[in-house]
Amino acid sequence: MSKPSARRTLRNAAAVLTVMMMGALLGAGVAGSWSELSGKRDTIAAQRAGVVYLRPLIGLIGALTAAQSTAVQGRPIDAGGLRAAVTGVTAADSAHGAELETGTHWSELEQRIGVLIDRPVTGAGAYQSFGDVVSLAIQLATHIGDTSELVLDVEPATHYLMDVALLRLSTVMLNAGRAADLSVLPLGGDTAADRAAAIAVARYQVAVAAADITTGLKKIVVNTERPTFGADLQDQQSVANALGVGIQFQSAVDKLAPPMLVRQLNRPVTAAELVENAARVNAAVVALADALWSQLDMRLAERNTDLVEQQRLIIAGASAMLVGAIALLWLFAPDRRLRAADDDSSTVETEAEPEAPQISMIDARDLLRAEELVHVGRAVQAGPRERDGAE
């Protein structure tokens, strides 16, 4: 093998090896980035499934709380509205129950709600029965918050949205209903002072949770990356507007649990006032929760769109780098100028040195015996033995 050919072979091998190394590094980088982004998208999908489930579930908790207060007062509950709320959660459980690991939690809760609808109770029995069901519903909501990883979200805006919609609002509904119910229930074994203290504690819990909600809504606006998000929250005309509904919610809470509640514990409050204000709080909570779930789902959808765009950029970048690597291999691996020079040298050598004719070798004794030499008169010197014989 000539030196130019050897150099070409080495250069080709080096170029192929370089491209292979570049491809391996590129593939590892692309695979790692793609896997990370896919993991984030899976998390968002689980979180959005949680939102789909929690939205009707929080609405159901509100319906159960309202039905509890109605039954405690001895009035017939809104069975149709309660069944509609149950139907909404059943649909969400059918769609996402398996991935959210609800297991038999919902089926058991649904069965108990059905019993309350079919065999209604009133008074203290309603307070106990509905209270147990509401507690189970809140436990299910907390479980879904865990399995959907909503509670683990590290982005401030979505974290505060989840915190308010999932944790704080349920506390407000539970304690507002409790304060109203305790105000109309017979004392039973309680003293008037004990009952008043229990009502005051429930109202205080409402006030504390409401203050946390107000703080959370402000933090949502401060930490949002969407310029229109904060503006949307400040529109008080739309029910789907979170802060507008939040203001209505705060107004309702202030009537049930004034900001200076601790200093007003001795102020007399009638059962009718507590029942009316608790109903307003419940309605405000349901509206605010629905608005917050809408905002949370919108935020998660936008984040998923950003991740999809990043994956597209990765594909485009990897494709461009691959094309570039192939182009480099095509351009620099074979040295065409050296190959052309070698081809020209071979052509010149062929023209300067024509091929020599092939000559057949004949034995000398055959030449001596050839008759053609005698006929043409060529003299051939005889050997010593032939001269002696002639003599």
Side-chain angles (χ1 to χ4, degrees), residues 44 46-52 54-55 145 148-151 153-166 220 226 229 233 240 242 288-304:
I44 290 176
Q47 290 175 327
R48 296 190 72 185
V51 171
V52 171
L54 288 169
R55 192 169 193 167
S148 65
E149 300 188 26
L150 278 169
V151 296
D153 199 300
V154 296
E155 184 174 315
T158 51
H159 172 76
Y160 289 118
L161 278 167
M162 178 281 308
D163 180 72
V164 171
L166 175 60
I220 292 169
R226 294 174 55 226
F229 187 73
L233 289 177
L288 177 58
D290 189 67
L292 292 176
W293 291 128
S294 295
Q295 293 288 351
L296 179 55
D297 187 66
M298 184 185 304
R299 180 59 189 164
L300 293 172
E302 289 179 350
R303 196 190 302 176
N304 185 69

Side-chain angles (χ1 to χ4, degrees), residues 240-298:
N241 173 292
L243 192 55
V245 179
I247 293 175
Q248 299 172 15
F249 159 77
Q250 188 62 54
S251 176
V253 168
D254 288 344
K255 293 181 179 180
L256 177 71
M260 304 301 292
L261 176 63
V262 176
R263 297 182 183 180
Q264 301 181 31
L265 289 179
N266 293 327
R267 185 182 72 83
V269 57
T270 65
E273 289 179 318
L274 288 177
V275 170
E276 180 183 0
N277 292 330
R280 290 178 179 175
V281 169
N282 187 282
V285 166
V286 172
L288 177 58
D290 189 67
L292 292 176
W293 291 128
S294 295
Q295 293 288 351
L296 179 55
D297 187 66
M298 184 185 304

